[in-house]
Amino acid sequence: MKTEILPSLLAADPGTLADEIRRVAASGADALHLDVMDGHFVPNLSFSPDTAALCRRVLPEGFPINTHLMITNPGDYAVRFVGKGSTTIQFHLELDVNVRALAAEIHASGARVGLVINPDTPVERALQYADCADEVLCMTVFPGYGGQAFIADVLPKVERLRARFHWLDIMVDGGVNAETAVLAAKAGANQFVAGSYLFAAEDMAAAVAGLRSRIDGVRGV
Ligand code: DX5
Ligand code: ZN
């Protein structure tokens, strides 16, 4: 699996959002990570389908938009996000949804499927459904806010998933920086979301390149 670095738009300056999206496109990152919060599944609100449309308009053609739905009713919105330009839809396994049916619906709409587990959700939940997904995201913070500290206790879950699913894209999200990315890469992750670390960088392209070389050094790719 390819190493992928995904800046999280949650950490962008909302006053210059279009420019921030262009900064992601020019940074050498592999995709943009779009966090969608409903104030119910998580205690915060963030982006909407309109933001996905803005990203689609501003990003170069084909640039992936990885959309992390932190919402109680992902089935009501998943296909709508795909219609606006999202290329991967991620939804949480803490929810009472028909995982296989929703994954099939997302695939039928032409997008990739990501399954997400919170730091306190057992890895078994992801192991049970990983066969119907393209990627599994192990949250390394409790979702809702950027800028939190990386929870290293999550990493054994990454190891378990990697041991069983060699082909699977495995992502970490939350508190990722040059040090914690190395820990996650050692555990078997190949996709790395970073918000505050990358947007705080004066030169995002240099930060992405630095992160990638540290990760690839560990992964031996
Ligand atoms: C947290 C979000 C993350 C967040 C990561 O709820 O899912 O994507 O933007 O931000 P950092 O990298 O600052 O922890
Ligand atoms: Zn996220």
Side-chain angles (χ1 to χ4, degrees):
M1 274 81 29
K2 188 171 159 255
T3 296
E4 292 186 15
I5 296 173
L6 303 90
S8 167
L9 199 64
L10 195 62
D13 178 349
T16 56
L17 202 54
D19 287 338
E20 292 285 67
I21 296 165
R22 281 184 202 102
R23 188 149 79 108
V24 172
S27 71
D30 300 277
L32 180 146
H33 182 79
L34 185 67
D35 285 304
V36 179
M37 306 180 186
D38 66 354
H40 183 75
F41 181 68
V42 289
N44 199 5
L45 293 160
S46 63
F47 299 126
S48 72
D50 287 345
T51 325
L54 172 68
C55 292
R56 188 74 288 151
R57 203 167 78 224
V58 169
L59 290 168
E61 207 183 321
F63 197 94
I65 302 173
N66 178 264
T67 305
H68 177 189
L69 299 182
M70 287 163 275
I71 65 177
T72 303
N73 301 313
D76 292 349
Y77 293 94
V79 172
R80 217 162 118 190
F81 273 95
V82 178
K84 297 290 185 179
S86 292
T87 54
T88 298
I89 301 293
Q90 302 179 318
F91 61 95
H92 274 258
L93 292 180
E94 293 78 23
L95 296 165
D96 184 20
V97 296
N98 185 329
V99 175
R100 291 185 188 281
L102 182 52
E105 191 185 339
I106 294 166
H107 275 145
S109 75
R112 286 165 46 94
V113 171
L115 303 176
V116 192
I117 52 172
N118 279 339
D120 58 356
T121 298
V123 70
E124 283 73 19
R125 185 98 181 127
L127 289 166
Q128 183 186 349
Y129 292 111
D131 63 283
C132 71
D134 302 288
E135 62 194 41
V136 170
L137 165 53
C138 293
M139 290 303 297
T140 41
V141 298
F142 285 90
Y145 298 92
Q148 303 182 78
F150 185 85
I151 302 172
D153 288 350
V154 165
L155 295 177
K157 296 201 276 190
V158 173
E159 288 169 9
R160 287 271 307 276
L161 278 159
R162 178 55 74 217
R164 174 127 158 238
F165 297 101
H166 297 278
W167 48 268
L168 188 68
D169 282 317
I170 302 178
M171 180 181 290
V172 287
D173 177 14
V176 171
N177 57 37
E179 283 74 44
T180 58
V182 165
L183 302 177
K186 279 186 182 148
N190 68 297
Q191 296 176 309
F192 305 81
V193 174
S196 37
Y197 176 72
L198 291 178
F199 277 93
E202 194 123 316
D203 181 347
M204 190 189 282
V208 168
L211 209 50
R212 196 188 298 284
S213 81
R214 295 196 63 155
I215 292 165
D216 285 348
V218 171
R219 297 189 65 219
V221 291

